[in-house]
């Protein structure tokens, strides 16, 4: 039985949920407040190695690589001061 499903929010949880339902044969509509998800608006979704393994399992890695922006360095900052607490460099050969 195919269901019609409405998901509010195109963040990581909303999009992942939508993909899961579509893969099981359901009709999914995702609503997002912003008219366009873009770098200019400051919105984005950060996917770590485990999430990227799921993207690859779903057969979406090639499509993802077409639109993904890869940070060379990730910095963890203290919210109140902006002080960099830790910095991570991207492993060679990773997306």
């Amino acid at each position: 039985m195919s269901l019609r499903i409405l998901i509010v929010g195109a963040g990581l949880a909303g999009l992942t949920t939508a993909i899961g339902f579509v893969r099981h044969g359901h009709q999914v509509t995702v609503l997002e407040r912003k008219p366009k998800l873009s770098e200019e608006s400051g919105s984005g979704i950060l996917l770590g190695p485990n999430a990227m393994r799921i993207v690859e399992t779903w057969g979406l890695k090639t499509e993802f690589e077409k639109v993904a922006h890869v940070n060379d360095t990730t910095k963890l900052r203290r919210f109140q001061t902006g002080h960099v607490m830790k910095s991570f460099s991207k492993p060679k050969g990773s997306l």
Side-chain angles (χ1 to χ4, degrees), residues 7-21:
I7 297 174
V8 178
L12 182 57
L15 294 177
T16 303
T17 302
I19 291 168
F21 280 128

Side-chain angles (χ1 to χ4, degrees), residues 9-45:
L12 182 57
L15 294 177
T16 303
T17 302
I19 291 168
F21 280 128
V22 168
R23 290 176 57 84
H24 283 90
H26 302 293
Q27 294 180 351
V28 177
T29 301
V30 179
L31 300 180
E32 173 55 45
R33 173 178 29 192
K34 294 186 172 47
K36 180 179 177 188
L37 299 178
S38 68
E39 199 172 318
E40 293 83 25
S41 69
S43 61
I45 298 174

Side-chain angles (χ1 to χ4, degrees), residues 34-74:
K34 294 186 172 47
K36 180 179 177 188
L37 299 178
S38 68
E39 199 172 318
E40 293 83 25
S41 69
S43 61
I45 298 174
L46 175 66
L47 299 181
N50 289 337
M52 283 306 300
R53 286 185 194 96
I54 293 170
V55 168
E56 189 169 8
T57 300
W58 285 344
L60 298 173
K61 184 177 179 188
T62 302
E63 290 301 313
F64 186 85
E65 288 173 339
K66 291 178 185 177
V67 297
H69 170 78
V70 179
N71 293 325
D72 293 329
T73 305
T74 299

Side-chain angles (χ1 to χ4, degrees), residues 62-95:
T62 302
E63 290 301 313
F64 186 85
E65 288 173 339
K66 291 178 185 177
V67 297
H69 170 78
V70 179
N71 293 325
D72 293 329
T73 305
T74 299
K75 296 178 182 177
L76 299 179
R77 296 181 180 269
R78 183 163 301 283
F79 173 75
Q80 294 87 349
T81 64
H83 171 75
V84 176
M85 301 184 308
K86 185 128 178 117
S87 181
F88 304 91
S89 294
K90 176 182 76 133
K92 295 206 184 301
S94 64
L95 174 63

